[in-house]
Amino acid sequence: MIFGLNVKRVTMTETSNIPQHIAIIMDGNGRWATERGQERSYGHQAGVDAVRRITSECTRIGVKYLTLYTFSTENWNRPADEISALMGLVLTSLEDQIFMKNNVRFRVIGDTNRLPADVQQKLRQTEEHTAANTTMTMVVALSYSSRWEITQAMRNIAAEGITDITEETISRHLTTNFMPDPDLLIRTGGELRISNYLLWQIAYSELYFCDTYWPDFDEKALHKAIESYQNRQRRFGKTEAQVENEE
């Protein structure tokens, strides 16, 4: 019984209701490393291993879009050595194996002009090299924040002289205009906030928070998040009875 309602729980293996688009705030790398007496960069490296695991599993179960919050605009305020280590990880982790083996297309969103030139070049090369892959699209949010994105969209709309502005107008001018909004947003690491991530796009996303640090987030943890999603009723403003009658 959930919130007093008789709801039959299902497991991920019993249904084909897999989220088309999963967005993840990959939190907890630094704390994971600190608890092990290591530098924060050690946690970020372990986080890359988690990305490989989750990417492979998402392609296997049929997820079409996986968006990963990798580096926010606010993260530029972190210590210079940590930023340097993170940028180095971007260069070394964008490997053919993770994309070509799983037939994954790579895309990037964010204020990439702020990134080092060699990182920008690597991002462009990876996007071009994987453009024909079709099983899933991995989107990396790098030097990204939602307020930055919305501000840029408003500036572009104003520059184009558009006066009849609708929700569709705004969505079309966002950096995410090539993909559907997330069905499920996952945040690891125990924090209960959105941290300036896809604020427009997650208006009707299901939210899932867990205490697991990102380096420890594995296939079982992913399945648990998806099962939570599958046991919810997405109503989009309608009543429970209306949704049930449509099923």
Side-chain angles (χ1 to χ4, degrees), residues 27 187-195 208-211:
D27 195 19
R187 178 167 189 150
T188 65
E191 303 293 354
L192 304 177
R193 54 178 176 264
I194 303 303
S195 296
Y208 179 85
F209 301 92
C210 65
D211 293 331

Side-chain angles (χ1 to χ4, degrees), residues 180-212:
D181 291 341
D183 299 297
L184 172 63
L185 170 69
I186 299 170
R187 178 167 189 150
T188 65
E191 303 293 354
L192 304 177
R193 54 178 176 264
I194 303 303
S195 296
N196 208 357
Y197 183 45
L198 300 176
L199 299 179
W200 177 274
Q201 296 87 341
I202 63 170
Y204 276 102
S205 302
E206 296 298 322
L207 308 183
Y208 179 85
F209 301 92
C210 65
D211 293 331
T212 306

Side-chain angles (χ1 to χ4, degrees), residues 98-117:
I98 194 173
F99 301 113
M100 306 312 290
K101 177 182 177 182
N102 296 293
N103 193 29
V104 172
R105 184 177 185 180
F106 174 81
R107 299 289 297 266
V108 61
I109 58 173
D111 188 6
T112 56
N113 290 329
R114 295 184 66 179
L115 300 172

